[in-house]
Amino acid sequence: MSGENPQLVLVFSGKRKSGKDFVTDILKERLAEKSVIIRLSGPLKECFAKDNGLDYEKLLSAGDYKEKYRVDMLKWSEAIRNKDYTYFCKAAIRKYEAEKFPVWIISDARRLTDLRYFRENYGERMKTVRICASEEVRSWRGWVFTPGVDDKETECGLDSVSEWDFRLENNGDLSGEELTQPFVDLVEKL
């Protein structure tokens, strides 16, 4: 692997409890020092936690704490994003010092503007990945439909996208290794 970083930008998207963190964490483990996970929600949650006296680490988790503040956090972040759609993408790249790594794993794209930012800046180096899981499986994993969350852009903003470079069905039929193998293969070709 040689050349300017990033050499590959994998942009993952999926509904709540579809398994985005599961897949991206395993991929990071398999790619090791070649990669970095960039959580677009990372700087957002960090700033929101500071502004509101909340526990930043708990906001990063998949637990109830994050869900308690989700609606307020969404309103706050939308106001910022409406002024500059690139703000949180750029902040995440800085936060995770991504330029040091050849493979960027964007774990949580949620909006068309997220895809737009990475496509405009990284072109052919960007590959999009949609992780899908049935509502039944998502419910089994703890998902409950929440009005004001599951019917908003953060969960539905990429539903209209039909062209994905990769589409993963994560209903528990495949192991983490099987789900991530196409990306390991891609990195080996760099």
Side-chain angles (χ1 to χ4, degrees), residues 116-182:
R116 177 179 163 194
Y117 173 80
F118 289 103
R119 189 167 284 117
E120 285 176 351
N121 288 280
Y122 304 104
E124 293 298 315
R125 293 178 283 168
M126 171 191 160
K127 301 295 179 198
T128 57
V129 184
R130 184 67 168 187
I131 299 179
C132 303
S134 69
E135 282 193 10
E136 179 182 350
V137 168
R138 291 171 58 219
S139 295
W140 180 81
R141 292 175 182 156
W143 174 76
V144 175
F145 180 85
T146 306
V149 173
D150 292 299
D151 52 1
K152 297 294 183 188
E153 184 182 21
T154 57
E155 293 304 317
C156 303
L158 296 177
D159 288 356
S160 64
V161 176
S162 58
E163 297 291 323
W164 296 94
D165 294 305
F166 297 89
R167 190 176 188 87
L168 301 180
E169 294 294 330
N170 185 24
N171 288 313
D173 302 333
L174 300 174
S175 70
E177 188 167 289
E178 290 170 310
L179 288 166
T180 58
Q181 191 60 47

Side-chain angles (χ1 to χ4, degrees), residues 10 12 16 23 37-38 54 67 69 75 80-81 83 100 106 110 122 133 142 164 171 187 190:
L10 297 168
F12 286 81
R16 289 194 305 136
V23 171
I37 292 180
I38 301 173
L54 301 174
E67 298 307 321
Y69 297 104
K75 289 177 187 173
I80 293 170
R81 199 175 278 104
K83 292 177 188 166
K100 296 178 181 179
I106 313 303
R110 297 181 178 279
Y122 304 104
W164 296 94
N171 288 313
V187 170
L190 293 177

Side-chain angles (χ1 to χ4, degrees), residues 75-89:
K75 289 177 187 173
W76 173 86
S77 67
E78 286 307 315
I80 293 170
R81 199 175 278 104
N82 286 339
K83 292 177 188 166
D84 178 6
Y85 78 91
T86 69
Y87 181 87
F88 291 113
C89 293

